[in-house]
Amino acid sequence: MTDDLDDLRRALKSAPAADAAARDRALALAMANFDRLQTATQGTPDAARPTEDRPARAGFLNGVRSMLNFMTRRPTLAATTSVAALVIGVAVILPVTEGLRPGLPPVAPRSEAPAAAPAAGTEAAPAVPETAAKMAPPEAATPMADPAPADAPPMAEAEAAPPAAKRVADADAPVIALAPEGGAPVDDRETADMAYLDEGAARARTGVVAPAPSVVVAEPAPLPPLADNTEAYANEDPNPVKITAEEPVSTFSTDVDTASYALVRSTLDMGVLPMPDQVRIEEMVNYFPYAYPAPEDGQAFSTSVAVMPTPWNAGTQLVTIGLQGALPAVADRPALNLVFLIDTSGSMEAPNKLGLLKQSLALMLPELRPEDQIAIVAYAGSAGVVLEPTVAKDEAKILAALDSLSAGGSTAGAEGLELAYQLAEGMTAEGEVSRILLATDGDFNVGLSDPAGLTDYVARKRQEGTYLSVLGFGRGNLDDATMQALAQNGNGTASYIDTLSEARKVLVDQLTGALFPIADDVKVQVEWNPAEVAEYRLIGYETRALKREDFNNDKVDAGEIGAGLQVTAIYEITPVGSDAVLNDPLRYGTAVAGGEPGELGFLRLRWKAPGEDTSDLIERPITGEEPATEDSRFAAAIAGFGQLLQGSVYLGNWGWTEAITLAQANRGDDPYGYRIEAVNLMRMAQTLAR
């Protein structure tokens, strides 16, 4: 091996020196050969490239071969890959980002100035869609510089790095939106997504890859308020604590409405705590069914009482009073004449208004008897009869009339009321029940629209025998105050329909109670014994308060109770001698505490049979020995729920955890899930209140 290497070394040393002239001749010959080959295959450099090299009959295959030759080139492959990635991004990202926001209200337009234009030579940072933000690894938020050769031009010459970015977060729909420094953040999700995709398309065309922008995390912002919110609610200040020796008698009208609970649920479902004005505690408590004993034969009502320690104040007691209405057999119900008075104004255009309204009323039809009559009046800029009186068994005709309704125009509610009453009066015969069922968002803006004028008109018609109930739909312009005034003066009920399940509860499960009255002008009066009770307060019923003398005056209007319905009222009382007494004794005199020991108070109940002018009376003592029940404890939890939402000053340190525990422990029989729904709403409110 050594000899061979030595021979090779000697041969290399003896090689002739390089000849520069020979090298130049070889290069010239190579270039000449290349030029001849180029001319033979493609012609002269300036000549047009041939489009065919085969006969015309092979044109199709020739075109395919040309296309494949073009598409397999490296630049073409890079471009087509970028376009394919963009198309896939559009098909995948947009549906996902849309699907992540079910039930959220539309984002209200912002009033801020538009984002400032980026400086010359710079490019605004793209908005990152929600799905991309969730899927990105943690390190994606860290700016990374692109590798570049040492002789590459500075980044500012090719593309300036994006400016600092801001994150705009929503409490329930966290979407990252990026904006140039000094500009308004983007909070429209579709705009953010499309900006991201447009930016991707631009980068695919240019081949420029920008570094990942830095992201600054801001505090979560609350949900935007409902656009053009004109909602109005009927409520009063919470009842104060009263001194029994000075004012021993409490009088109020019954209330079987449930609208407030459904409104509270609707608001919490939007991720917002309800305003105190939205909360009427008696309507929250009365939303739930309780196992009160049925009345004896021939009696319109039964009464029940339960006494228990107050959950939020160890020095006081809760006294729960329950009324149970009689439920006649379906065969014993009088014939029903029902007029659907439907708001078809422009404000009812949303799916959760007129669309849900149609579905809700359709659920009700199978529950009616074949001989019951239905008529439909619609009102917008003007009112008109959509369906003349039709027997309920002609369901197809009624459904077709409902389906024909569409929204548009202003709200001539007063004109619609007048026409509905005319129809109802023409349908009524001896012994029959006539009722108008007004379905609206309450936004009366044409004609007789002030609550006083409307309620006076409805009250006159009530005295003539036609009752009025109200179903509320939608949010944003819901006029709860007008709805409450109409229902109370029409001897009817006010309900809020936010879901089809709520429509079933009101119009199917409780249909008999909603449409067939068993008692008018129902009044409750409790006289507390000052020898046993130092102070008391009625929880709720602020809008139903009556004067003491109104109880025995049969001319004074009060609430109606339908067949099988219930009423629950809760008092918090402070026993004499308790450390929980809130009022100091008087300096210049003390009210005399009369009454005999042994009774906490005395309950009186008055009502009129439908169509009668004279009231009946039920009385019973409240001894304080009445045991608490699972129902009374659950009702106390709901009363606490309402007070927490109102920010009550009477709860001390009792809070959401205690309310949830009390409700959960006393759910009892809950076949339709109403009570567990309330527990979950409390949990949501607890989270939002932090």
Side-chain angles (χ1 to χ4, degrees), residues 19 102 114 189 259 299 342 379 391 407 454 459 475 580 604 653 656:
D19 187 349
R189 294 160 176 78
Q299 297 294 318
I342 300 177
Y379 65 90
V391 292
L454 284 170
R475 297 299 299 271
R604 299 181 179 92
N653 294 324
W656 290 109

Side-chain angles (χ1 to χ4, degrees), residues 228 230 343 345-348 353 379-380 409-414 438-446 449 454 473 476-480 482-483 486:
D228 301 324
T230 60
D343 183 353
S345 61
S347 65
M348 290 288 291
K353 293 187 177 184
Y379 65 90
S410 54
T411 313
L438 170 60
T440 179
D441 56 11
D443 188 11
F444 288 16
N445 54 34
V446 172
S449 58
L454 284 170
F473 291 85
N477 64 332
L478 184 72
D479 193 344
D480 173 76
T482 298
M483 290 167 49
L486 292 175

Side-chain angles (χ1 to χ4, degrees), residues 183-472:
V186 177
D187 64 355
D188 184 294
R189 294 160 176 78
E190 288 76 11
T191 301
D193 293 345
M194 291 308 300
Y196 176 77
L197 295 173
D198 291 344
E199 180 69 17
R203 296 192 187 283
R205 291 192 298 268
T206 61
V208 178
V209 179
S214 60
V215 177
V216 180
V217 180
E219 289 296 325
L223 278 178
L226 293 169
D228 301 324
N229 192 329
T230 60
E231 295 184 351
Y233 295 95
N235 217 329
E236 300 289 342
D237 293 334
N239 289 321
V241 171
K242 296 187 177 181
I243 301 173
T244 309
E246 298 175 358
E247 192 174 349
V249 178
S250 170
T251 309
F252 62 94
S253 166
T254 59
D255 183 8
V256 294
D257 295 346
T258 59
S260 180
Y261 179 84
L263 281 166
V264 166
R265 176 181 61 208
S266 172
T267 305
L268 288 172
D269 283 345
M270 289 190 287
V272 179
L273 282 173
M275 297 181 296
D277 282 351
Q278 292 177 309
V279 181
R280 292 186 290 272
I281 295 177
E282 71 278 8
E283 295 186 18
M284 297 182 67
V285 172
N286 284 323
Y287 183 86
F288 302 91
Y290 303 102
Y292 296 148
E296 297 180 0
D297 291 342
Q299 297 294 318
F301 294 102
S302 69
T303 61
S304 53
V305 176
V307 181
M308 60 179 283
T310 303
W312 50 82
N313 191 339
T316 65
Q317 295 176 305
L318 293 184
V319 178
T320 303
I321 299 170
L323 308 180
Q324 174 66 60
L327 180 61
V330 174
D332 297 333
R333 290 185 339 201
L336 173 66
N337 302 302
L338 184 62
V339 179
F340 292 162
L341 176 55
I342 300 177
D343 183 353
T344 56
S345 61
S347 65
M348 290 288 291
E349 188 173 9
N352 66 339
K353 293 187 177 184
L354 186 58
L356 180 58
L357 185 157
K358 293 179 182 181
Q359 293 177 302
S360 301
L361 296 182
L363 286 179
M364 178 184 180
L365 296 181
E367 306 302 315
L368 301 175
R369 293 182 302 182
E371 63 270 23
D372 293 337
Q373 291 192 92
I374 303 293
I376 300 177
V377 173
Y379 65 90
S382 60
V385 177
V386 177
L387 179 70
E388 294 288 348
T390 303
V391 292
K393 67 180 180 181
D394 196 351
E395 191 171 316
K397 183 177 180 180
I398 299 171
L399 290 175
L402 282 174
D403 192 55
S404 69
L405 299 175
S406 60
S410 54
T411 313
E415 183 181 349
L417 277 174
E418 293 173 0
L419 184 55
Y421 276 115
Q422 292 174 12
L423 267 181
E425 291 166 1
M427 297 164 65
T428 306
E430 186 67 28
E432 296 180 346
V433 173
S434 293
R435 185 179 294 270
I436 295 172
L437 192 59
L438 170 60
T440 179
D441 56 11
D443 188 11
F444 288 16
N445 54 34
V446 172
L448 188 64
S449 58
D450 66 287
L454 284 170
T455 54
D456 288 346
Y457 176 76
V458 170
R460 291 196 303 271
K461 293 299 182 179
R462 176 199 72 221
Q463 295 171 356
E464 297 173 7
T466 301
Y467 295 167
L468 173 71
S469 291
V470 183
L471 301 177

Side-chain angles (χ1 to χ4, degrees), residues 463 520-521 552-556 607-616:
Q463 295 171 356
D520 291 341
D521 297 339
N552 292 324
N553 187 348
D554 287 341
K555 298 295 185 181
V556 175
W607 81 94
K608 299 174 187 173
E612 299 294 328
D613 295 327
T614 304
S615 63
D616 295 321

Side-chain angles (χ1 to χ4, degrees), residues 57-58 146 222 324 358 363 370 418 479 592 605 626 666:
R57 58 185 176 85
D146 289 332
Q324 174 66 60
K358 293 179 182 181
L363 286 179
E418 293 173 0
D479 193 344
V592 178
L605 176 67
E626 296 86 354
N666 294 279

Side-chain angles (χ1 to χ4, degrees), residues 96-109:
V96 171
T97 55
E98 284 296 318
L100 290 174
R101 302 185 298 278
L104 281 177
V107 177

